[in-house]
Amino acid sequence: MKEIANNIYWVGKVDDRKVPFHRLILEKGTSYNAYLIKDKKTALIDTVDMLFGKEFTDAMAEQMDLMTLDYIVINHTEPDHSGALGSLARKALNAKILCTAPAVYELMEMYKLGKERFQVVTHGEELSLGERTLVFYETPFLHTEETMVTYLKEEEILFTCDIFSTHVADSAHLRISELPEDFSILEDYDTYYQLIMDPHRRYVLPMIDVVKPLPLKIIAPSHGYVLDKDLDTYLSVYESHALESKKEISALILYNTMSGNTKKMARMLENELVKEGIKVENINTEKADLEEIYGKIQKADGVLFGTSTKYADIPGNLEVILKELKDLEVEGKPAAAFGSYGWSGEAVEVVEDYLKAAGLRTLRSSDIIKSTGMSDIEFPLRVRFNPENSEKEIKKAAAVFVDVLRY
Ligand code: FEO
């Protein structure tokens, strides 16, 4: 336990392995920072990686009677932070698990916990611990949909889980104020942003809008260093990257084609997007390097996937790419399916199933009707034979996609 403020303790785990993480190897290791707040009520903020779950629970049991733990706050469900919840909740039987609504089902399934253990918190909700107050703010998709941050109002400490983190294992220093004067973490901090947050950049500015007005003395993330000085500098790294990415909106069009009609659709969509000032890359996947494609999908603000239909299925290698989507950190990214067909056009629907399964923000007719009142736009965009006969529909679909990219 290390005290970071009055009766607030770091109780995490430093992991100095080369850590395999989201298709990366974290060469400098990382840490899983959890925090214990002692007040009239006791609250734990996040836990540690699943690999260290039992070790964490045993260490906590040595420090306190776990039956006196009142709350376990889960800001983010990924197992590098919620990993000790299963073992801990079975020993801290009086503790309520505080999380957002979408997190409940995930945590129930992951750790086989009953619904009665959970207490859903909503954006801006406050919870008194006695002398001090927790306030919860939803920050979706940073890093996954159910994510929130927790603010300890009287101490002006913000517990941000993945946000404002750094992947560095440093057992000797916890706060940046403990580091030598000439040592900067900015390069590692920026690398973390690029790797983990940039794919979700459209959600960064809404998060900054929530965080910036809060009086802040400490930002306590769940990887790497606790930020206890120069907070404006660290906030501005996120803000400036997110603002920069808004200046130029990019779309990626990936397609296969049998007779040339889906390629023609891809060109027509490209032309419409370019007219609206969107930067477009239009790629026939058969001729592309798949690893490069994965990088481009992550970078683009939105992706259109086009396919023709062969024997009721997706021809070529597009399906290989679609299967990879769930590992590419693209949840919430706008996407839509399109394609030309001759008989039934099932492949376009299959593409959409993949997009939905990977958590992309898939454009669907029902959503467009609800959000715009426009009922004559069909997504996924299916065109029979030559798309030149469907120019009006393609233009309208492109316009909706532009609106979603800009929103
Ligand atoms: Fe550090 Fe999204 O987990």
Side-chain angles (χ1 to χ4, degrees):
M1 278 206 194
K2 293 177 192 168
E3 195 167 40
I4 64 161
N6 184 29
N7 273 324
I8 301 167
Y9 301 89
W10 177 90
V11 288
K13 171 77 186 175
V14 176
D15 186 353
D16 57 9
R17 298 172 302 148
K18 289 188 192 304
V19 183
F21 189 81
H22 286 269
R23 295 163 55 87
L24 307 167
I25 299 292
L26 307 178
E27 295 289 337
K28 294 185 178 180
T30 191
S31 64
Y32 315 104
N33 301 335
Y35 303 92
L36 186 69
I37 305 171
K38 291 188 178 173
D39 203 309
K40 288 190 177 127
K41 301 271 187 184
T42 304
L44 175 73
I45 312 282
D46 293 315
T47 73
V48 298
D49 188 87
M50 201 169 248
L51 196 60
F52 307 103
K54 185 175 179 309
E55 177 185 327
F56 175 83
T57 299
D58 290 347
M60 288 290 292
E62 279 176 24
Q63 304 289 341
M64 65 181 288
D65 174 3
L66 291 180
M67 293 299 280
T68 66
L69 182 61
D70 297 288
Y71 299 110
I72 304 169
V73 176
I74 298 291
N75 281 319
H76 171 35
T77 60
E78 273 205 301
D80 54 327
H81 305 293
S82 68
L85 185 61
S87 56
L88 185 64
R90 281 173 179 80
K91 295 208 167 151
L93 289 170
N94 295 318
K96 275 281 179 200
I97 301 162
L98 307 177
C99 60
T100 60
V104 174
Y105 176 70
E106 291 173 18
L107 294 169
M108 281 172 60
E109 288 297 311
M110 285 162 76
Y111 300 109
K112 307 293 172 225
L113 294 166
K115 203 170 183 181
E116 71 286 352
R117 297 299 308 267
F118 293 85
Q119 183 174 324
V120 169
V121 294
T122 54
H123 191 73
E125 185 174 331
E126 298 195 355
L127 178 82
S128 173
L129 296 178
E131 299 296 321
R132 295 170 291 187
T133 315
L134 296 176
V135 193
F136 307 97
Y137 297 105
E138 292 169 13
T139 52
F141 293 105
L142 299 174
H143 158 236
T144 45
E145 184 184 4
E146 80 302 332
T147 306
M148 66 177 186
V149 296
T150 300
Y151 182 54
L152 188 61
K153 194 157 71 170
E154 292 77 4
E155 301 285 351
E156 302 180 357
I157 301 177
L158 187 65
F159 300 95
T160 57
C161 204
D162 275 348
I163 306 167
F164 307 125
S165 279
T166 317
H167 278 315
V168 173
D170 184 348
S171 305
H173 310 97
L174 177 58
R175 310 174 199 206
I176 49 170
S177 62
E178 298 165 6
L179 292 165
E181 269 304 315
D182 58 351
F183 185 93
S184 169
I185 70 160
L186 274 172
E187 192 179 332
D188 289 320
Y189 181 83
D190 195 70
T191 300
Y192 180 95
Y193 178 91
Q194 297 298 341
L195 293 176
I196 311 295
M197 292 289 147
D198 190 57
H200 307 274
R201 58 192 172 277
R202 62 192 289 109
Y203 299 96
V204 168
L205 289 176
M207 178 277 292
I208 292 283
D209 285 345
V210 169
V211 167
K212 229 177 165 182
L214 302 174
L216 284 178
K217 287 192 185 123
I218 293 178
I219 292 176
S222 287
H223 295 291
Y225 296 105
V226 169
L227 309 175
D228 61 346
K229 65 174 195 176
D230 305 328
L231 298 191
D232 287 347
T233 305
Y234 294 100
L235 288 174
S236 74
V237 169
Y238 275 51
E239 189 173 23
S240 58
H241 279 310
L243 283 170
E244 195 59 37
S245 68
K246 271 196 90 168
K247 278 189 201 155
E248 184 176 79
I249 299 171
S250 65
L252 178 65
I253 303 176
L254 299 173
Y255 68 92
N256 63 39
T257 194
M258 283 172 62
S259 65
N261 281 332
T262 299
K263 179 180 180 178
K264 214 181 268 181
M265 279 183 87
R267 283 224 182 110
M268 291 165 81
L269 286 164
E270 178 185 4
N271 289 341
E272 293 305 310
L273 297 180
V274 167
K275 268 191 234 165
E276 293 297 325
I278 308 290
K279 186 181 168 212
V280 181
E281 262 199 284
N282 192 356
I283 298 174
N284 181 337
T285 60
E286 292 306 310
K287 299 172 182 165
D289 176 273
L290 290 186
E291 282 301 322
E292 271 181 32
I293 292 273
Y294 300 146
K296 287 177 192 291
I297 292 172
Q298 289 179 312
K299 277 276 165 205
D301 293 304
V303 189
L304 293 168
F305 294 85
T307 184
S308 44
T309 298
K310 184 179 183 185
Y311 305 135
D313 212 342
I314 305 168
N317 64 0
L318 190 68
E319 196 159 8
V320 177
I321 297 167
L322 292 164
K323 283 180 178 164
E324 189 69 17
L325 286 175
K326 59 184 184 323
D327 293 325
L328 291 181
E329 298 287 301
V330 288
E331 296 94 340
K333 191 183 291 272
F338 69 92
S340 162
Y341 68 99
W343 289 269
S344 44
E346 293 93 334
V348 182
E349 305 292 337
V350 178
V351 168
E352 195 181 66
D353 289 344
Y354 276 110
L355 303 186
K356 280 190 252 174
L360 285 104
R361 187 177 163 205
T362 314
L363 268 60
R364 274 170 291 180
S365 300
S366 66
D367 298 330
I368 292 161
I369 292 165
K370 281 180 266 181
S371 61
T372 67
M374 295 162 81
S375 59
D376 57 346
I377 301 191
E378 290 295 325
F379 275 110
L381 184 62
R382 295 158 79 250
V383 165
R384 194 151 188 223
F385 293 117
N386 191 341
E388 281 163 9
N389 302 325
S390 306
E391 195 180 357
K392 198 170 134 214
E393 288 80 1
I394 291 171
K395 281 187 171 180
K396 277 195 170 181
V400 168
F401 194 61
V402 168
D403 280 351
V404 172
L405 288 177
R406 289 221 173 98
Y407 81 92

